[in-house]
Amino acid sequence: MLRLKDIVVVRDKKTILQVNDLHLAEGERLAVIGPNGAGKSTLLKTLALLEIPTTGEVFFRGEKVTGKNSLAFRRRMAVVFQEPLLLNTTVFNNVAQGMHFRGIDAAERKRRVDYWLDRFKILALRNRKPLNLSGGEAQRVSLARAFVLEPEVIFLDEPFSALDFSTRLELLEDLGLQLADTGANIVFVTHDLNEIPYLTDNVAVIDEGVVVYKGGLKSLLAGEVKVLTVQRLLQPFKKSRLLSV
Ligand SMILES: Nc1ncnc2c1ncn2[C@@H]1O[C@H](COP(=O)(O)OP(=O)(O)OP(=O)(O)O)[C@@H](O)[C@H]1O
Ligand SMILES: [Mg+2]
């Protein structure tokens, strides 16, 4: 449904992303991992049409993305970042906001907002302002705001990195449940391999702007992937003293 072809992104005279051919199939859920500064966010933003590549082409459902059609395609996508980026108005208005631009009428907006607040277990927060929400609650609002748009693809850039461990697990579980019902494509950037199995088994590893592996997480963890970056990424997890219970 999304494809990058011969993409190069140059910023400050430096190539920060170089992807010859990357294809996100219909319904595919892709986790993206890699060291800090590897180009994960740049890859996500390029796929989400938020970053204009220096050269190369992006295709959305077979159609080439251009300056003219990119806004229409962007309206079929939703993005969730690490920082919730909420407006200083009620939770309800925050979740309803994106639908205004998409011409959805008030009754339908209300129906959808209440439905998604309920599914993300925050209906009781409907009239609260984001400033006094906890980090986990605020991120639930961000997720509801993405799902309410009924997007064909959802991009998540380290959405839970700032949350404590148990909140992170709860959110991953709830997100996994909602995704199972929608069938939306997702691209999920994380620096924590432990988060991936909640959402998918399909992972891309990126290093210095290049996708060095795309395939199953299980083969990666089984040590079957003989790529230096992958082995380096796995090392801290092997050495970790985390208890498994
Ligand atoms: N607009 C820009 N101008 C100059 N350099 C940039 C720009 N955007 C990104 N970069 C650089 O490109 C590289 C990749 O950045 P990117 O944010 O995609 O990495 P990342 O893998 O998401 O990192 P992190 O794990 O820290 O989030 C970094 O070295 C970053 O400094
Ligand atoms: Mg990033």
Side-chain angles (χ1 to χ4, degrees), residues 33-35 193 203-207 211-214 216-217 219-238:
I33 56 171
L193 288 164
V203 56
V205 180
I206 183 164
D207 191 19
V211 178
V212 293
Y213 173 76
K214 185 172 182 282
L217 177 67
S219 349
L220 204 106
L221 296 177
E224 290 164 11
V225 182
K226 305 291 176 217
V227 177
L228 197 59
T229 314
V230 172
Q231 286 162 357
R232 272 200 208 120
L233 267 177
L234 291 177
Q235 248 169 20
F237 287 91
K238 286 188 182 144

Side-chain angles (χ1 to χ4, degrees), residues 64-112:
K64 188 175 150 181
V65 176
T66 64
K68 273 191 181 154
N69 62 20
S70 123
L71 181 63
F73 288 139
R74 278 214 305 275
R75 288 187 171 156
R76 294 159 68 180
M77 307 171 169
V79 189
V80 178
F81 293 106
Q82 183 177 342
E83 297 298 325
L85 299 173
L86 300 174
L87 305 170
N88 186 24
T89 173
T90 60
V91 164
F92 182 93
N93 286 339
N94 266 284
V95 177
Q97 187 210 13
M99 287 187 286
H100 281 279
F101 304 114
R102 290 165 170 84
I104 296 161
D105 72 50
E108 173 67 3
R109 287 204 297 269
K110 183 179 172 303
R111 187 195 67 76
R112 280 205 213 169

Side-chain angles (χ1 to χ4, degrees), residues 11-12 14 16 34-43 45 51 157-158 189 206:
R11 298 289 179 261
D12 284 348
K14 206 178 130 218
I16 61 171
N36 283 130
K40 302 182 294 296
S41 297
T42 307
L43 174 66
K45 284 187 276 184
E51 186 95 55
D157 194 350
E158 304 205 32
V189 171
I206 183 164

